[in-house]
């Protein structure tokens, strides 16, 4: 599990429309399994850290709504 994996996931969903659609349309309780099958492994804390780093360096025009990609249930 790593922040690097979370960043790689973010990069993919911003460049791969089919993958993004698959993630966004999957039930939230199944997203962890989907991401692991795609080779990504990160915790909620790592996702939050990666998202914060990415958002600091991303312009508003380029920003992907990270809330749509939420993986964990509250």
């Amino acid at each position: 599990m790593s922040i690097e994996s979370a960043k790689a996931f973010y990069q993919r969903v911003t460049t791969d429309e089919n993958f993004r659609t698959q993630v966004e349309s999957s039930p939230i309780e199944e997203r962890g399994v989907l991401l692991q099958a795609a080779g990504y492994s990160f915790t909620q804390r790592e996702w939050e850290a990666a998202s914060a780093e990415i958002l600091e360096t991303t312009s508003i025009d380029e920003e992907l709504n990270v809330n749509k990609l939420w993986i964990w249930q509250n």
Side-chain angles (χ1 to χ4, degrees), residues 37-74:
Y40 301 102
S41 180
F42 50 88
T43 64
Q44 181 176 354
R45 180 168 284 162
E46 289 166 336
W47 171 247
E48 291 168 355
S51 297
E53 287 181 28
I54 291 165
L55 293 175
E56 286 178 5
T57 61
T58 304
S59 74
I60 293 172
D61 292 338
E62 297 172 351
E63 184 177 317
L64 178 66
N65 186 344
V66 294
N67 292 325
K68 282 187 172 183
L69 302 174
W70 195 248
I71 300 161
W72 296 270
Q73 293 178 323
N74 291 332

Side-chain angles (χ1 to χ4, degrees), residues 1-2 4 8 10 14-15 19 23 27 29-30 35 39 43 45-46 49-50 54 58 62 64-66 68:
M1 294 185 199
S2 70
E4 289 76 23
Y10 185 91
T14 58
T15 60
F19 183 67
V23 171
E29 58 275 357
E30 295 175 13
L35 297 183
T43 64
R45 180 168 284 162
E46 289 166 336
I54 291 165
T58 304
E62 297 172 351
L64 178 66
N65 186 344
V66 294
K68 282 187 172 183

Side-chain angles (χ1 to χ4, degrees), residues 9-28 30-31 34-35 64-65 68-70:
F9 165 72
Y10 185 91
Q11 178 65 32
R12 183 167 177 197
V13 296
T14 58
T15 60
D16 183 339
E17 187 175 336
N18 291 329
F19 183 67
R20 180 176 55 247
T21 299
Q22 183 181 12
V23 171
E24 290 177 348
S25 65
S26 68
I28 197 166
E30 295 175 13
R31 290 183 184 175
L34 173 71
L35 297 183
L64 178 66
N65 186 344
K68 282 187 172 183
L69 302 174
W70 195 248

